[in-house]
Amino acid sequence: MKKISALLAVIGFCIFLIAARRDSNPYGFKQGNAGIQSISAIAFGTDGILFIGDSKSASVFAIDTKDKVPVEKGTAFEMKNIDQKIAAVLGTEAKNIRIQDIAVNPVSKKVYCAVQSADGTPVLLTIDGQKIEALNLRDISFSSMSIANAPATDAKDRGGRPLRDQMISDLNFSDGSVLVSGLSNQEFSSTFRRIPFPFTDKQDHASLEIFHAAHGKYETASPIRTFTTASLNGKKYLVASYTCTPLVLFPLDDLKAGKHVKGRTVAEFGAGNSPLDIITMQKEGNTYLVMSNSNRPVMRVDVKNIEGFAGTLTDPIKESYGTAGVAFTNLPVVNVLQMDKMDDTQVLVLQRKGNGDLDLYVNRADRWL
Amino acid sequence: MVINFIQPLLKTIRIVRLPIIESLTFCFIMLSCKSGDEKKNSLVLVWEQDKAVAVGFNKQLLSANDQPDIAKKLHVEIVGDSNQESILGSIDLSGDSIFFRPYIPFTKGDSYRVKFNNVVIAIVRIPEPTGPAPEIVNIYPTNDTVPVNLLKLYIAFSIPMREGKWRDNIVLIKNGVDTVSDAFLDVDLELWNNEHTVLTIWFDPGRVKRGLQPNEKLGSPLHEKQKYELLVLKNLEDVDGRILRTGGSKRFFVNDRDSESPHVDDWLIRIPKSDTRTALHFSFGESLDAMLLENSISINYNEHGLAGVFEPINKERELRFIPEASWQVGEYEIIVDPILEDLAGNNMTRLFDNPIDSSKKIKPSLRRKFTIK
């Protein structure tokens, strides 16, 4: 009897240890070299966790920044010639680096900046006022998930065929899942994945070809360039913007493995332009999408107008570089390459100025809303 | 011996031993050197995959007073930076050695100051890149006749290239006279393969897609029955900043619109005999996408993919599959990935530019059986 009691006690203790370990590591992180080969896009989740889209290794990484001290309002700053300053602390010249993405930790309001050197080496930096520091990705707490784009045949194995390269065009975290849009250097189409976090072996991995039928006569697959999510009339939507065309809505519930979804085009912002970044901001109970562009100013769209637009655009646009659909406002700011929400009243902006300088600064949101 | 103490830190490495520059070597190093021990009195530059990734020296070069808090005292700066910023990197202490590993490799051709306790102990010059300059290996499609709705071009290089340069250095010329403006998709995200050796250039889809406003106003980037030349200027740079050995050029003639999807049943298949490794030969009747051809077709035998090599030939109009093992008597199956495209972006299941009200729906055919006798 004593032996049984002792055995039960040991088993109970083991269960307690496993449970305790799970509680102390709810995301399944491990410490070490994350093996990140490239950084295409970054986005924060909750609890100081940063998600990194790595096109080269076809993986999404979650890293624990341990940056969890809450700050209510971010400190405004301006860093002029940020590319030169980053290059200097990396021991090279500005022409040898590229700023891939920026993100603000919603907990600490600290700025994170993903940089890639000319040889492809990725670096993750933090920017605090004028101070630039780096996270050591070779010794970090992380977990990862493969998004390898295996050929879609139903062959039992690939017979030695290479996997297709793909590029992560954008990445966001919403309702407990990492959302990843992909762009192929071979096919003119989009992939879109929803990956629950903490990572398991599950993901909605379907390559969703998303068609554009705005011109009424023909439909064509297009790659998503940037996206966000928004709640419209009580339902959650993917709001996607395309390399060459419009703003398109997809109910998130419809984006399931193997499902073929046609989006609803709600706005055309004009041809000859490529969207670069899109964020969501609130003011006085209203929600706005703010979108930066390659050949247009930053645009503001009132989400109420999107909610009120029930149809889909189908008529060709007659006027050169004309626009259609949901109304939008051009803001008096151009050449914004990256943005992120700093807090409820401020926006972080990476902008190429008229004199050619690349500056990072915090802008008051009410100037734009 | 030196390699032994480095190995726990780095796997595949090449060590280049650099003499510490006398004029810049300060007393504390000289005094702490053991006489005659050249290895301990030198700086090492660590190379991985042709990148200078770390600089290191022996801890015994330091006096006992200098040993604590080494990581805080060691700094590396790029020569020429007026602000003398310390380069961000990690410091690894491994046995008797100290390594500074910058977060990006040292830049070839640049010089770096190694400082300890704010005293310069060495200047390291990273050698200029060696080896042949980058070259254009091929421009795809290799066919000299293309459809008017050609969707994309690939340029393959001999070594990895850097981003941000192609827009100013790739030009399309019509009939040897006119530069075609706004022909290509100008997207900030450059489309390279993982190795950065193949660049994809899309013709502006807004101009290729019928019915869209750019197509209606500017027309298609290419016009039927016209001659074009794609010029690649030599100022494209590799990852080390070296320009191409020579520029490149690809001439082509533009033919009719391609509005048909590839169809596996239309392909001519030449079937090899058993007990040979003779190639299975495909003839498509048109050029297909060179890059997709390499990974879009598989051969199944007993429900498993057959290992072997696919080789596009004859201007991507044909494909050879050479199996690793000899063909066995039996039934095989060709399986085609739906994404395989022709030059106009029409894949196996849909047209690039699909008429919505078309009564002619594609019946995708992705499999075809054949028997080896």
Side-chain angles (χ1 to χ4, degrees):
Chain A
M1 190 65 189
K2 275 184 180 176
K3 283 183 180 173
I4 292 171
S5 299
L7 187 63
L8 287 174
V10 169
I11 291 170
F13 184 65
C14 289
I15 291 170
F16 169 77
L17 283 180
I18 291 167
R21 190 175 173 189
R22 193 174 292 153
D23 285 347
S24 65
N25 186 15
Y27 305 116
F29 287 138
K30 56 187 173 185
Q31 185 76 26
N33 185 347
I36 296 170
Q37 297 179 29
S38 67
I39 303 181
S40 306
I42 56 174
F44 267 95
T46 54
D47 210 16
I49 293 167
L50 182 69
F51 295 100
I52 295 176
D54 177 357
S55 297
K56 197 167 179 183
S57 73
S59 299
V60 174
F61 290 85
I63 64 167
D64 184 3
T65 63
K66 303 188 191 306
D67 176 16
K68 300 176 185 176
V69 178
V71 172
E72 194 175 334
K73 187 172 168 38
T75 306
F77 71 94
E78 180 178 37
M79 182 177 277
K80 289 186 175 295
N81 295 307
I82 183 176
D83 51 343
Q84 293 176 25
K85 285 176 178 152
I86 288 174
V89 298
L90 293 177
T92 191
E93 299 166 65
K95 67 177 184 179
N96 294 328
I97 60 152
R98 178 184 165 92
I99 296 175
Q100 299 286 92
D101 203 358
I102 55 173
V104 178
N105 183 344
V107 178
S108 68
K109 309 295 186 286
K110 189 182 270 191
V111 175
Y112 286 70
C113 179
V115 173
Q116 200 134 302
S117 70
D119 76 319
T121 305
V123 188
L124 185 62
L125 303 170
T126 59
I127 297 170
D128 191 359
Q130 300 303 309
K131 189 175 177 185
I132 302 172
E133 293 181 312
L135 275 77
N136 186 357
L137 298 175
R138 298 165 71 90
D139 183 18
I140 202 152
S141 186
F142 74 99
S143 64
S144 65
M145 179 79 175
S146 170
I147 55 166
N149 199 1
T153 66
D154 52 0
K156 291 281 169 62
D157 60 53
R158 296 184 297 106
R161 291 182 306 154
L163 293 170
R164 298 197 304 273
D165 294 346
Q166 65 168 339
M167 304 172 73
I168 292 170
S169 60
D170 203 1
L171 172 145
N172 276 293
F173 182 78
S174 177
D175 290 340
S177 291
V178 187
L179 308 176
V180 186
S181 64
L183 180 68
S184 166
N185 63 327
Q186 296 175 350
E187 317 143 61
F188 193 70
S189 63
S190 258
T191 58
F192 193 84
R193 287 177 171 78
R194 179 162 44 187
I195 307 168
F197 183 78
F199 297 139
T200 61
D201 56 353
K202 291 179 181 170
Q203 59 174 299
D204 281 339
H205 54 80
S207 294
L208 297 173
E209 282 194 324
I210 298 166
F211 283 79
H212 167 48
H215 40 84
K217 292 186 208 164
Y218 310 99
E219 60 179 9
T220 317
S222 291
I224 291 176
R225 176 62 191 90
T226 183
F227 70 91
T228 186
T229 56
S231 189
L232 305 172
N233 298 318
K235 193 172 180 182
K236 201 87 182 217
Y237 284 84
L238 168 73
V239 183
S241 196
Y242 284 78
T243 49
C244 57
T245 43
L247 194 70
V248 184
L249 303 181
F250 304 89
L252 269 178
D253 288 346
D254 288 359
L255 300 182
K256 289 179 180 154
K259 195 164 178 184
H260 179 83
V261 182
K262 286 188 183 180
R264 186 162 65 87
T265 306
V266 296
E268 291 273 7
F269 295 134
N273 177 45
S274 177
L276 299 177
D277 210 351
I278 185 166
I279 59 172
T280 307
M281 296 294 293
Q282 279 88 25
K283 184 185 178 187
E284 295 167 359
N286 295 323
T287 303
Y288 301 91
L289 302 182
V290 179
M291 190 166 87
S292 63
N293 299 284
S294 63
N295 289 321
R296 295 276 189 284
V298 174
M299 296 166 176
R300 182 188 68 213
V301 183
D302 189 334
V303 165
K304 274 192 300 203
N305 291 338
I306 300 177
E307 288 176 322
F309 190 93
T312 183
L313 293 177
T314 54
D315 293 331
I317 294 170
K318 304 287 186 197
E319 186 189 352
S320 283
Y321 304 103
T323 61
V326 170
F328 64 93
T329 304
N330 281 326
L331 301 175
V333 56
V334 294
N335 296 329
V336 170
L337 308 180
Q338 304 276 349
M339 298 179 296
D340 200 9
K341 179 179 173 179
M342 170 69 83
D343 51 43
D344 289 341
T345 60
Q346 301 180 102
V347 186
L348 180 71
V349 179
L350 179 70
Q351 185 183 22
R352 179 75 67 186
K353 291 291 180 66
N355 61 2
D357 289 355
L358 186 65
D359 296 348
L360 181 74
Y361 61 93
V362 177
N363 192 48
R364 267 176 37 205
D366 60 0
R367 289 179 177 161
W368 287 5
L369 303 181
Chain B
M1 185 171 168
V2 175
I3 289 174
N4 282 341
F5 72 64
I6 296 168
Q7 268 174 342
L9 177 72
L10 304 164
K11 289 177 185 171
T12 51
I13 56 168
R14 178 164 65 89
I15 302 292
V16 175
R17 196 174 300 287
L18 306 169
I20 289 181
I21 301 167
E22 291 289 336
S23 60
L24 294 163
T25 307
F26 282 74
C27 295
F28 79 95
I29 285 184
M30 299 305 289
L31 292 171
S32 61
C33 289
K34 291 183 180 175
S35 172
D37 195 338
E38 190 186 327
K39 287 179 180 173
K40 289 176 182 170
N41 188 21
S42 59
L43 206 74
V44 292
L45 195 57
V46 183
W47 292 78
E48 279 180 357
Q49 297 172 346
D50 198 35
K51 299 172 188 175
V53 296
V55 64
F57 57 89
N58 197 301
K59 208 187 288 181
Q60 291 179 28
L61 288 168
L62 306 177
S63 67
N65 289 340
D66 284 320
Q67 300 272 348
D69 295 330
I70 286 173
K72 289 181 182 169
K73 297 170 184 168
L74 181 62
H75 295 278
V76 179
E77 301 165 355
I78 187 166
V79 174
D81 175 30
S82 55
N83 294 326
Q84 299 193 342
E85 290 269 13
S86 290
I87 295 172
L88 295 170
S90 60
I91 291 175
D92 300 303
L93 304 173
S94 176
D96 282 340
S97 57
I98 303 166
F99 285 95
F100 174 79
R101 187 181 182 105
Y103 283 124
I104 67 170
F106 292 116
T107 303
K108 290 174 184 170
D110 282 350
S111 296
Y112 295 85
R113 269 189 297 270
V114 183
K115 291 166 90 173
F116 196 85
N117 259 347
N118 286 322
V119 174
V120 179
I121 59 170
I123 289 182
V124 181
R125 179 168 167 75
I126 312 300
E128 297 281 355
T130 55
E135 292 184 71
I136 297 169
V137 174
N138 225 333
I139 299 176
Y140 300 96
T142 59
N143 205 352
D144 49 15
T145 301
V146 301
V148 68
N149 51 341
L150 175 68
L151 185 60
K152 57 186 176 288
L153 301 158
Y154 298 106
I155 303 174
F157 299 92
S158 57
I159 50 179
M161 305 294 286
R162 69 166 56 188
E163 295 188 11
K165 289 283 179 181
W166 78 262
R167 289 176 186 82
D168 297 329
N169 291 292
I170 294 181
V171 185
L172 186 65
I173 310 285
K174 182 180 176 184
N175 292 328
V177 181
D178 300 323
T179 301
V180 183
S181 58
D182 301 322
F184 304 121
L185 177 64
D186 187 9
V187 57
D188 63 312
L189 204 64
E190 294 190 7
L191 297 165
W192 291 88
N193 65 342
N194 274 346
E195 293 74 29
H196 263 60
T197 53
V198 179
L199 171 67
T200 306
I201 300 176
W202 299 91
F203 281 96
D204 181 352
R207 293 182 64 179
V208 177
K209 293 175 189 175
R210 291 171 293 174
L212 279 188
Q213 195 256 342
N215 175 271
E216 302 277 320
K217 300 292 178 186
L218 300 173
S220 170
L222 301 176
H223 294 142
E224 284 181 38
K225 314 302 177 198
Q226 305 298 314
K227 292 177 183 171
Y228 291 84
E229 183 175 15
L230 183 81
L231 283 178
V232 183
L233 308 180
K234 66 184 293 185
N235 288 335
L236 285 175
E237 294 176 355
D238 72 0
V239 292
D240 290 323
R242 295 178 303 172
I243 63 171
L244 291 172
R245 195 171 67 81
T246 58
S249 158
K250 163 74 189 169
R251 293 182 181 171
F252 52 89
F253 178 76
V254 173
N255 221 331
D256 303 343
R257 168 173 285 274
D258 181 350
S259 299
E260 299 284 336
S261 277
H263 204 282
V264 70
D265 293 332
D266 294 339
W267 298 349
L268 296 175
I269 311 286
R270 206 159 64 222
I271 300 167
K273 291 182 178 172
S274 62
D275 297 324
T276 69
R277 287 185 59 233
T278 307
L280 176 69
H281 187 277
F282 300 75
S283 184
F284 305 118
E286 63 174 331
S287 293
L288 297 183
D289 184 289
M291 298 299 149
L292 288 170
L293 263 181
E294 290 181 6
N295 59 18
S296 299
I297 297 178
S298 57
I299 312 297
N300 261 16
Y301 180 61
N302 284 338
E303 296 190 342
H304 287 281
L306 217 56
V309 176
F310 286 94
E311 186 185 1
I313 53 174
N314 190 16
K315 299 173 179 175
E316 301 87 64
R317 296 172 63 85
E318 298 173 24
L319 181 73
R320 279 198 299 229
F321 173 72
I322 302 167
E324 264 183 19
S326 297
W327 296 101
Q328 306 293 306
V329 172
E331 194 167 77
Y332 292 74
E333 192 168 33
I334 299 162
I335 300 180
V336 186
D337 197 314
I339 64 153
L340 178 60
E341 292 179 358
D342 60 23
L343 299 185
N346 303 312
N347 73 18
M348 302 296 290
T349 60
R350 61 155 176 79
L351 298 174
F352 172 73
D353 206 2
N354 190 40
I356 289 173
D357 57 358
S358 172
S359 55
K360 184 187 168 189
K361 293 291 179 191
I362 296 170
K363 290 181 182 169
S365 174
L366 302 171
R367 290 167 170 266
R368 181 165 163 184
K369 290 184 177 171
F370 66 96
T371 305
I372 298 279
K373 296 175 182 171

